[in-house]
Amino acid sequence: MNIIKNKIKYYIFFTFLISWLLWLPGILQSFSLIDISSKLIFSVGMIGTIIPSVIGLILLINEKQLKKAFIDLFRFRLDLWIILTILILPLAITITHIINIYFFKGIVPVITEAYKIPFQFIIILIIAGPLGEEIGWRGFLQSKIKEKYSSVITGLIVGLIWVIWHLPIFLIKEMPHRKMPLDQFIITLISISIIISFFQIKTKSGIWPALILHTFVNLTMEVTPLYNEKEHILWIIANCVLFLIVIIFIILELIENIQKSHTSTN
């Protein structure tokens, strides 16, 4: 257990240290303390976003052979749970827009060039966050923490760490996070982290639930941004829907634990 704790500490320390150092020039630039090209700031900033997976992969390879690490990370099993993983966020966003339109007089979202969405999904998956983060956050960190805690608590812990890691990005004017409401962003990340944790355990499909759900979150920001409307009503509604999903998962986990306890006593 001490070995696992040490690995978790090493992972968090080096992930935060390297990412934050790479983001530091962008922060200094945003406060006019240095003068560097915006393109360079953005490029270096993007490198910082892949550090979670780089550090996670290094630690995983240290534990097992490269081939075994990739098999564990990217194994895939098509079942009901993975189908639910694919459908749950599009359904949640659809419900969000319906509530916004009928109860808050929101605008009907217009998606132009919808045929591009599958290509956007693939591009976002590979270069805009999910693959650069989830090998580390879920492939390494969550896999260690879940050995001691339930899926919900594991998701909460990883979610809080995930949130803290993101915070410096909000200080960089070249990054899209600068325009987002921090409070709603935090709620979204923690909720999504718990949902990811639940599906990771249920699907037995490596980090695919994390990749799919993380990509859908980022894709939503591209296709129908949640932070463009006045007072961020749409994002608030979306977080309420996500919170309801989390409550459902907590209830399901409690029922499952009660059934296991009942079975073990018989």
Side-chain angles (χ1 to χ4, degrees), residues 4-261:
I4 293 175
K5 285 183 179 179
N6 287 335
K7 287 182 178 179
I8 291 173
K9 290 176 183 178
Y10 293 149
Y11 174 76
I12 294 172
F13 175 77
F14 285 108
T15 297
F16 276 56
L17 177 66
I18 298 172
S19 292
W20 286 9
L21 284 175
L22 288 169
W23 294 335
L24 182 59
I27 296 171
L28 296 175
Q29 168 87 335
S30 298
F31 288 93
S32 302
L33 297 175
I34 58 174
D35 186 17
I36 303 177
S37 163
S38 294
K39 289 183 179 179
L40 180 60
I41 290 291
F42 181 79
S43 299
V44 172
M46 290 304 294
I47 293 173
T49 64
I50 70 170
I51 297 303
S53 282
V54 172
I55 302 298
L57 190 57
I58 290 171
L59 290 170
L60 287 170
I61 292 172
N62 187 50
E63 291 181 352
K64 58 189 90 172
Q65 293 182 345
L66 180 62
K67 182 178 179 181
K68 178 68 164 57
F70 271 89
I71 289 173
D72 289 344
L73 287 168
F74 296 106
R75 66 182 183 273
F76 183 85
R77 186 178 73 180
L78 183 62
D79 57 16
L80 178 60
W81 286 110
I82 202 70
I83 292 171
L84 286 174
T85 302
I86 295 169
L87 295 179
I88 195 163
L89 278 189
L91 180 60
I93 294 302
T94 301
I95 293 171
T96 296
H97 281 289
I98 290 172
I99 293 172
N100 188 42
I101 292 165
Y102 284 97
F103 294 97
F104 297 94
K105 299 181 180 179
I107 60 173
V108 177
V110 177
I111 300 176
T112 58
E113 300 179 318
Y115 67 91
K116 291 184 179 180
I117 291 178
F119 300 102
Q120 288 176 295
F121 186 94
I122 295 170
I123 291 170
I124 290 171
L125 168 64
I126 296 171
I127 66 172
L131 192 59
E133 294 182 36
E134 295 304 344
I135 291 175
W137 297 133
R138 256 50 72 158
F140 177 80
L141 183 61
Q142 180 173 293
S143 67
K144 302 302 179 188
I145 294 175
K146 76 175 184 180
E147 293 181 13
K148 185 176 180 181
Y149 299 102
S150 68
S151 63
V152 171
I153 299 300
T154 297
L156 178 61
I157 294 170
V158 175
L160 289 170
I161 295 169
W162 198 21
V163 163
I164 296 169
W165 175 80
H166 274 92
L167 292 180
I169 304 179
F170 283 82
L171 300 174
I172 305 174
K173 65 181 180 181
E174 284 80 9
M175 301 297 267
H177 301 71
R178 189 70 177 260
K179 301 177 183 178
M180 300 179 187
L182 179 59
D183 56 345
Q184 297 306 314
F185 180 86
I186 290 171
I187 295 169
T188 298
L189 253 63
I190 292 174
S191 298
I192 288 295
S193 183
I194 294 171
I195 293 169
I196 287 173
S197 179
F198 183 85
F199 279 117
Q200 286 278 119
I201 292 172
K202 292 295 183 183
T203 62
K204 305 290 192 299
S205 287
I207 61 169
W208 282 108
L211 293 174
I212 292 167
L213 291 167
H214 192 161
T215 303
F216 269 126
V217 170
N218 290 6
L219 180 64
T220 298
M221 296 305 178
E222 291 288 332
V223 178
T224 58
L226 299 178
Y227 54 91
N228 282 352
E229 293 199 359
K230 184 179 179 181
E231 297 178 351
H232 311 298
I233 292 296
L234 194 59
W235 201 331
I236 293 171
I237 299 169
N239 276 335
C240 289
V241 174
L242 291 177
F243 184 72
L244 179 60
I245 293 170
V246 169
I247 294 298
I248 292 171
F249 285 174
I250 290 173
I251 293 171
L252 289 175
E253 187 167 79
L254 286 173
I255 292 173
E256 185 176 343
N257 290 337
I258 291 171
Q259 289 176 339
K260 287 180 179 179
S261 176

